[in-house]
């Protein structure tokens, strides 16, 4: 639960930073609503695609906010990437 709250605060911070630079600001009503978060993720992805098409460069702001949204979505689904450790290889995994 603590990680979810931290991730949501990070997302709010990233949205504020994004809105300062964006032509079309994002309005997030509920950072606990997966449907709204997915909708915003789609809008950010479209904006990133348009930016890349115009400039030929990727934008750090887009990548950062997309990562924050993905982190919250995963935590809402009960999956914490930071809590997962790399699986140790066993003899069965070796070729």
């Amino acid at each position: 639960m603590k990680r979810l709250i931290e991730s949501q605060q990070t997302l709010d911070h990233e949205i504020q930073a994004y809105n300062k630079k964006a032509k079309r600001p994002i309005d997030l009503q509920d950072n606990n609503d997966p449907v709204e978060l997915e909708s915003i993720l789609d809008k950010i992805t479209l904006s990133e695609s348009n930016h890349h098409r115009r400039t030929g460069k990727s934008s750090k702001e887009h990548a950062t906010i997309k990562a924050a949204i993905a982190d919250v979505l995963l935590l809402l689904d009960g999956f914490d990437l930071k809590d997962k450790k790399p699986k140790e290889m066993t003899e069965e995994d070796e070729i």
Side-chain angles (χ1 to χ4, degrees):
M1 185 68 167
K2 181 181 176 186
R3 263 279 289 135
L4 177 59
I5 292 169
E6 289 173 357
S7 292
Q8 288 171 329
Q9 290 172 345
T10 300
L11 175 59
D12 290 339
H13 173 73
E14 293 300 330
I15 287 176
Q16 289 173 0
Y18 179 85
N19 284 343
K20 288 179 183 177
K21 296 180 180 181
K23 292 179 182 178
R24 295 184 186 128
I26 297 170
D27 183 29
L28 178 63
Q29 299 295 322
D30 182 11
N31 60 10
N32 259 341
D33 182 11
V35 174
E36 184 176 1
L37 290 171
E38 289 174 9
S39 173
I40 289 175
L41 184 59
D42 290 342
K43 290 176 186 176
I44 295 294
T45 302
L46 180 61
S47 175
E48 179 182 34
S49 175
N50 289 335
H51 175 79
H52 189 271
R53 194 174 315 121
R54 282 190 318 267
T55 65
K57 298 177 184 178
S58 296
S59 168
K60 182 179 179 183
E61 290 82 16
H62 288 110
T64 305
I65 197 166
K66 284 173 48 176
I69 292 170
D71 193 30
V72 171
L73 284 171
L74 287 170
L75 287 167
L76 288 173
D77 282 342
F79 187 80
D80 187 358
L81 283 175
K82 290 186 177 183
D83 195 29
K84 300 297 176 188
K85 296 181 180 171
K87 178 182 148 188
E88 291 184 24
M89 286 188 66
T90 62
E91 289 181 25
E92 297 170 359
D93 293 335
E94 295 178 12
I95 297 177

